[in-house]
Amino acid sequence: MQIIDCKTERPDDLNRLMDTWVAQTVGKRTATHTLIGRDRDDAGHYLEIVEFPSYEEAMRNSRLPETSRIFDEIVALCGEPPTFTNLDVIRDEQLNKMNARVFFDLIASEGRLELLPDLFADDYFGHDPAGEGETVGIDALRGQVEGYRRGFDCQFTVEAQLAEGDEVATRWSWAGMHHGEFRGVAATGRECTMTGMAIFRFEDGKVREAWWNWDNLSLYRQLGLVPEAISGRTPS
C-alpha cells in the first residue's frame, strides 16, 4: 500500500490527472484500488491511498512511463513536493465480512441461534425468490434456520466473499444428511448438497437486508420433490 501526501489549491486538476492516468494505464497498471481523501481540517491537504498485490507489483507500476509523466504533473500542482509512504499490510480485516461468516459458520452450521440478535437487526428483511415470500424480522429468520436444521444435519462452507461499501456477497456451498421432515418430505437419509450466494447489507454493524439465491431445484430433485425430466435430466 502506498500513501501519497500532497497539498494543492487545484483539486479539480488533481482529479483530472488521476482520470488521465486511469485511462492511459488500462491493461498495464498493477494497482488494484485507489482512494483520494481530503483533510476536513485543511481543504488543501489531500491523501491518495493506492493498493497493490505486492511491493514488487507496486514498483512495476511506478516504472510505467504514464505513472512517471502524471507524477511530474502532480508535483507541478502542489505547493510543495508530495511525500510517499510505502506500507506493508500486516493486518487487513473487513469486519462486515467477518460478521457475515458468523451466520454461515456458527448460526446455520452449528445452530448457535442465540447469536441471531447480535448479527441481525430487529427489522431484518430477507429476499428469497426461491422461498415462500419475504422474511421479515429475526423470529421469521430463526424459524427458517430451525426448519433447515430439523430437516438436515447440515454444514455450510464459505467459498468466497466480496465486500463493497455496506454490502458483503458470500458464495457458499452446503451439504447435509436429510434426517428429518423438510417441506413435507419425511427423512430419506440421503446426503444432499447445494450451492448459492447471499448478499448482506449492513447497517449499524448488523444485517438489515439480505438477498438469497440458491440451487433449490437441485436440492428438491435430490429429495424427490421434482421429477428428473423437469430438472433437465433424462431418467435412466
Side-chain angles (χ1 to χ4, degrees):
M1 180 180 297
Q2 187 176 73
I3 299 177
I4 306 170
D5 189 323
C6 67
K7 290 191 174 184
T8 181
E9 300 301 324
R10 299 164 61 184
D12 291 339
D13 288 335
L14 182 63
N15 272 320
R16 176 183 56 78
L17 287 176
M18 290 307 303
D19 290 340
T20 300
W21 178 79
V22 169
Q24 292 181 352
T25 58
V26 171
K28 305 175 187 178
R29 63 180 178 266
T30 60
T32 57
H33 184 201
T34 181
L35 179 150
I36 297 178
R38 183 177 63 193
D39 190 336
R40 293 180 64 90
D41 299 317
D42 182 354
H45 183 203
Y46 294 85
L47 291 174
E48 181 182 2
I49 302 173
V50 189
E51 296 181 9
F52 300 91
S54 67
Y55 176 77
E56 291 74 21
E57 294 295 322
M59 293 302 97
R60 281 183 54 203
N61 194 83
S62 296
R63 289 191 292 268
L64 291 174
E66 295 84 0
T67 300
S68 298
R69 185 165 55 250
I70 295 298
F71 169 73
D72 291 338
E73 295 189 50
I74 290 176
V75 170
L77 289 178
C78 298
E80 56 190 65
T83 62
F84 292 78
T85 303
N86 296 315
L87 301 176
D88 287 328
V89 178
I90 61 174
R91 181 166 178 169
D92 178 15
E93 293 185 4
Q94 298 189 41
L95 300 181
N96 284 347
K97 287 173 65 174
M98 294 173 59
N99 286 345
R101 289 195 69 112
V102 169
F103 175 80
F104 297 98
D105 294 343
L106 299 180
I107 295 174
S109 294
E110 297 184 10
R112 298 283 303 279
L113 300 180
E114 75 277 7
L115 298 177
L116 280 171
D118 296 332
L119 182 62
F120 291 87
D122 291 337
D123 55 352
Y124 163 79
F125 200 96
H127 309 271
D128 183 357
E132 299 175 357
E134 311 291 359
T135 302
V136 181
I138 291 180
D139 289 339
L141 178 60
R142 180 182 292 108
Q144 285 186 335
V145 176
E146 288 176 337
Y148 272 90
R149 290 191 58 79
R150 279 195 302 269
F152 299 92
D153 178 16
C154 57
Q155 181 72 41
F156 277 89
T157 299
V158 173
E159 303 291 352
Q161 285 185 301
L162 295 173
E164 183 172 351
D166 60 0
E167 295 184 346
V168 175
T170 303
R171 178 170 59 85
W172 49 264
S173 59
W174 174 96
M177 184 182 71
H178 183 210
H179 64 177
E181 185 273 335
F182 178 75
R183 302 284 171 91
V185 178
T188 63
R190 296 175 180 172
E191 291 286 347
C192 298
T193 62
M194 64 174 172
T195 58
M197 291 185 287
I199 299 174
F200 289 173
R201 181 177 68 81
F202 285 82
E203 189 173 302
D204 298 328
K206 294 187 177 183
V207 181
R208 177 72 181 278
E209 193 171 12
W211 293 263
W212 296 87
N213 284 280
W214 50 286
D215 189 4
N216 62 311
L217 180 60
S218 174
L219 177 62
Y220 293 167
R221 177 179 54 78
Q222 293 170 72
L223 295 176
L225 288 171
V226 178
E228 295 284 347
I230 295 179
S231 68
R233 297 192 177 189
T234 304
S236 56

